[in-house]
Each structure stands twice: as structure tokens, then as C-alpha cells.
Amino acid sequence: MAGHKALQRKLGNTIALVTVCVLVCGIAFAGAIFLLLPGKARTAEPVPPPLTRLSTPLSPAPGVKPVPVGYACPGYSGLQKDIPLSMVLNDTFAWGKNPPYKVGNGAGDITWGSNPYNDPSWHLWVHSLRWLGNGIDAARAGNATAMKHTLAIIQDWVRDNPFPWKANPSAAESTMHRTNVLICARQAVLTGLHTKTLNTKTLPAEYKWLDDALLTHAQYMIDHWSGNRNHGTDESIALFGVGCTFNREDLMRKAVGRLNSAVVQSIDAEGTTNEQSVGYAGFNYELWGRAARFVRACGIDPGPAIDARRKLLAEWMALATKPNGELFQIGNTTQKKADNYPGTPWEFVWSKGKSGPRPERRTGIFKGGYIFGHTGWGETQAFGEESAYSIRFGQEKKYHGHDDHTSINYNWHGHDVLIDPGYYGYKKGDLQDWAPSQAAHNVMTIPTATGKLVKTRLVGSASTSNSDYYKLADEPAEGVKRTRDVLVLKDPDVVVALDRGESGSEQRYETLWHLAPGQTVTVQSPTTAVATGGGVRTHLFQIPFGQMNGTTTVDQGKSNPAQGWYLPDIFAKTPAPVVKFTQTGQNARILSVVAPAKTGEEVSYTTRSAGTNFFVDLTVGTQKITVKVDPDGRLTRMN
């Protein structure tokens, strides 16, 4: 007890500068994602500037509910939806697709080490306490039984998990989530006491443990800030919440200083986030908006940086959204529709061109490693009839990224043609290993060589009104050089790619084309495969080029090793075909054409040479085009 009191006295002292950080990532998409990354030493933080108080009350935008003054309970990220009050009162937890599991004795005494499904995410969300949401809400509404039982569980967590939680990664990882739950519980107590304000310095003596726990959580987040990623942002918001709750200017100042330091690193000057994931980019847009709202609700000016970077990110997200309204599923991204953020280009894409400002460009090359392109924004045809693509390059894989450099995803007239198969969360297994690997993406792989994470260079690019060209290069495996030339065409909407590999020893080179689930693929010859399904008939040609001869095969729904799957979220999997164009030798030149067409339209090609140039004459329905291949691999549309 004496040690505990000494700790509380320490928490009241001036906050020390942080010298150590544990880099971790947090939640996204209704609390579904968890990852623990290695720690990294940090230098001392700069002293944050003084707080600037808002001089006028908040004025919400038209149609937006007024924000409560003070730090309002931020909710439970949807985790409570599958855990009704009856389960809370019975100490029963549920998450994902696993059956509910009783984690306590029914009286609020929880076995915090429970992990019956051997799932790190499941264990983390137990320790987040977000599953108590319906209990807290019922307590706020005057349910005395819910109040007593829910507080008993929270107090049991505090008692059984002594600070600083070094022996329990789940307890440490979920600190900022749990902090918000403690704030929500505190507000429920105040409501029961008929206290109208969200912020007060004291509770009755019987609830002192709750205030002590909040200050302990604040100290942990001060000492273990995760930096300029979404987990660090969540921590700063929660730290600010404690400061606002107790009117502690030192805590609020620390949090606001961190937010302003992190946002310009989290979202770069072009709007790209550092997460290497489109899904996490969308999550960060909402997260940073939440940060600014909560700071302003407590009467503090968050500064201009958050709003400015979110504006850039909204433009980025518009380009990263397909004509069917879904996000490109790049990195750790579930299948997800775009959200609506009124007044931004993202609203325009969400509404499929019916409202909001039209994006100012149809293509974007971002130094953060992304290329997005659209055939248009519905100017000359229906919005849903446009096509769109993404290409990855840049820094090596980290955080929520995949080993997907040079990968092409392609949506044709609102239909997914070339897909990223998604990801499988953090539960161990061959799908978890496969999903972020080169083999799960639309790239040239070298399975006979030892792969490595590398930086991929964008060597050149050029766009016209009806074609976009890109050249990329890297060394994706030991002793192997790889280049990819990509030409994306409009009218007809077709993808052409030339993959070249060079090695000092014989290798097997495989260019993979992952197709949407539900396609039936027929290999018609060593150079041709046809995929049919959903009103689309996609022709995939491995066009003979030079002296290179290859094979065409199809994998689907394979295990050990995994191949040919689609993962819409971290709980589901469905077989999906992948077409392999394979060549063997020291060098390879795989020239691919991916040509979607309406059912019944004929697709064919012929080739010819003229001097050192190679030409592909392609027919799609009634449209005919010619593509020139220069000796250096450059692809050019000739008509």
C-alpha cells in the first residue's frame, strides 16, 4: 500500500521527458486489428508550446450535432455490439467469429490471462475493457446493478494488473483504449451523482481508486508514447482526455504538443500516411478528426496542422477509392466502402459523383509509394463505368504494409479484375504468412531465389488523355534485378505490363495475376487464359516476346503453401484464382496483357516487329489499338 501511495505522489509531479518508446499499432475498423511491434529508443521530446485557449464557443458545421463541452465519452469502437448487458453481468466476452467465453466467475472476478482461442487480438480486447460498454451505458442510465458489476470488473483489472504492466503485452498495448473506458465509467458515476459537468477534480472517496487508475494510465502513456503512428495518436487523445477531465494543463499541453509533432510525420505534405495501408489511411483521417474535435471541445486550439494535413489526406483517399465505392485493398485493409466526409473530394467519390467537389486530377503519383489512376470522374460516361488502378513502389515494407512493390490492382467499369487478396489479421497460420508476401500480389516473383524487403524506384512516367505509363525497378531477391513497365489504357480499358528479370544463375520467374473470386478460369494455350464471371470476360495473354517461352497455369484455394485466396476481412477467406505466367532461365521477359471485356466481345492480338521495336496490335470488341515496345522496355500507345 505504501508503494502504491508513493506511486500516486510521483504521478502528481512534473512530467518527465520521454526517452523510450514502444512502437505499436492500434485499432481500425470497429476494433478489429492488433499488432505489437518491437520497441525502439527515442530521443527526448521537445518541450511543447503553451496551450492556446479558444476565445469563442464551438460552432458545429450545419447538420452536425453539437459537441459536448469537455472530453465526452468516445464510445467503445463497436466492440460492445456483440456483448449485451446480460453478458457483461455474467462476465462473458466475445470477439470476432469465436463463440462467447466466460472470462470471470459471474461476480466481476476476471481471469485476465484467459485466451482460449490463442488469438493475440482476442486477448488484447479483453484487456481494453471496451467490452464493458453496455454495462457503462446502463449504469449511466441509472441501472444500479450494472453500475456495481461493471465497476467491480474495472476495479478487478486495476487490482490484478499492477502498474507498469511490463509482464503483460496486452495490458500495455491496450492502455489508451482502456483509459477512455475509465473516463466513460467515471462520467457514468458522475451522472449517477447528478453531476452535470463532464470534468470535475474529485469523486467521492469510495471512487478514488478510479481517479488513481486514470492518473496511472496517463503516466504510462507519457513514459511509453508510440510516436507518429495511429497508436501514438490514440494515446495522445486519451492522455488529453485525462488532462481535460482533471483540468491538468500539463497533461493537455503534453498531448497537444505530441499531436502537432506527430501529424506532420503521420501524414506527409502530399497527403500520404506512413502506415503503408489504404485502410489505415482512412482510419487515420477519422482519428485525426477526432483528435481535433476533442481538443476543441475542451476549449483548446489544436493549431492548424491537423486540419491542413487531413485536407490533403481526403484528396488522397478520393484517388484511393475505386469506381464501385470501395477502397483499394492495399496493405492491411479489409474490404470496405468509402466513408462520407461532406465538403471533401472523398464525398464526391462516396456519392459516385452526385455531390461534393470533384477531384482536381485523375491520376496521382505520391512519393510515399503510391500511384492511383482513374479514367475519369464521370464527365463523359456514368461514374460507375470508369476504370481505376493502383501501383505500389517506394520504401520497403513496414508497419501495416505488404511486400507488394510493383503490384497492380485494377477495377474495370466498377468490377474488380486484378485484386489484392487482403490480409488475415495476426493469428498464426499459412494465410497470415502468405497474405503480406510477394506471392499474394500482382507482381513478378522469383520463388527459386531468397526474397528480401527492398525499396522500389519509380524510374519514369508519362500520361496522355488515353494512356498512363510507368517504369519501376528493384532487386526483390538475392542476385536478381527486376523491372516492370506498365501501360494502362483508356478506350479500351486494358492493362499491359512488361516484367523483366535478370540473374547470374537460372531462376524461375512467375508473373502473378490475382483475380476476383467467383471467376472461372480456362487455360486455352501456353499463352492464353480466359476468366469469366460477374458479367466480365477477362483475357490474360502472355505474349511471346523475343526468344522467351513460358507456361500459363492457374492456382486456387491451395494450402501449405497458401495460394489463390481472397480475404475480405480477418475472419473470412474464399478461393480466388491466380493466373501464373512462368519462364525459367537466367533472364525472363514476360509481356502480359490483361483485357477485360463484356460477355460476347471478341478479344485478340497479333504481333509484329519493325527494326528494334516490337508491336502488339490488340482488338477488344470493335476497338483496335497498337502498343509499341521499345528496346529499353518502354510501352507506348500508338493510336
Side-chain angles (χ1 to χ4, degrees), residues 481-553:
K481 294 182 179 180
R482 176 179 66 174
T483 61
R484 166 166 274 185
D485 294 83
V486 181
L487 185 66
V488 186
L489 305 174
K490 176 183 179 181
D491 296 329
D493 297 357
V494 173
V495 174
V496 184
L498 173 60
D499 290 312
R500 290 174 292 169
E502 297 181 9
S503 176
S505 59
E506 184 169 294
Q507 304 289 351
R508 185 169 80 253
Y509 300 91
E510 295 180 348
T511 290
L512 308 179
W513 298 117
H514 293 264
L515 305 177
Q519 303 288 299
T520 299
V521 181
T522 302
V523 177
Q524 297 184 342
S525 73
T527 62
T528 303
V530 178
T532 305
V536 182
R537 186 175 173 86
T538 302
H539 293 72
L540 299 100
F541 300 126
Q542 181 181 184
I543 295 179
F545 181 46
Q547 302 301 314
M548 301 296 183
N549 295 313
T551 62
T552 299
T553 57

Side-chain angles (χ1 to χ4, degrees), residues 75 88 113 116 199 239 343 396 408 450 471 481 583 598 616:
V88 174
N199 307 319
L239 178 62
E396 62 271 16
I408 307 165
T450 302
K471 186 184 199 69
K481 294 182 179 180
Q583 293 180 8
K598 296 178 181 178
V616 179

Side-chain angles (χ1 to χ4, degrees), residues 37 68 98 105 115 164 191 215 300 333 370 407 413 422 510 570 574:
L37 296 174
N98 295 313
N105 66 352
N115 191 3
T191 300
L215 291 172
I300 305 298
T333 302
Y370 295 85
S407 186
H413 298 183
E510 295 180 348
I570 66 174
T574 185

Side-chain angles (χ1 to χ4, degrees), residues 54 58 60-61 64-72 74 237 240 244 259 283-302 306-307 310 341:
L54 293 173
L58 292 174
V64 178
K65 295 175 64 175
V67 179
V69 176
Y71 190 86
I237 295 172
F240 182 87
C244 183
L259 288 169
F283 171 65
N284 268 287
Y285 184 84
E286 169 57 32
L287 182 63
W288 282 106
R290 191 189 317 156
R293 288 195 303 274
F294 280 135
V295 172
R296 290 189 174 104
C298 201
I300 305 298
D301 183 358
I306 295 176
D307 291 344
R310 287 185 78 235
Y341 290 96

Side-chain angles (χ1 to χ4, degrees), residues 362 365 389 460-464 467-471 486-487 634:
R362 67 171 188 84
I365 300 174
Y389 62 90
S461 65
S463 287
T464 69
S467 68
D468 301 322
Y469 166 75
Y470 308 95
K471 186 184 199 69
V486 181
L487 185 66
R634 183 184 178 94

Side-chain angles (χ1 to χ4, degrees), residues 355-435:
S355 63
R358 187 191 307 273
E360 295 181 357
R361 50 183 172 169
R362 67 171 188 84
T363 64
I365 300 174
F366 298 92
K367 294 177 182 178
Y370 295 85
I371 300 169
F372 297 115
H374 294 250
T375 53
W377 300 109
E379 298 95 335
T380 60
Q381 59 185 344
F383 187 94
E385 289 296 309
E386 302 286 4
S387 298
Y389 62 90
S390 70
I391 304 174
R392 282 281 285 125
F393 69 101
Q395 294 294 323
E396 62 271 16
K397 172 186 177 295
K398 61 180 180 178
Y399 303 148
H400 295 289
H402 290 181
D403 192 4
D404 58 359
H405 288 184
T406 76
S407 186
I408 307 165
N409 298 321
Y410 190 59
N411 185 275
W412 179 82
H413 298 183
H415 299 276
D416 282 327
V417 174
L418 300 177
I419 66 167
D420 183 308
Y423 85 113
Y424 203 55
Y426 304 102
K427 193 170 183 178
K428 297 296 182 182
D430 63 343
L431 284 175
Q432 187 210 36
D433 295 335
W434 167 78

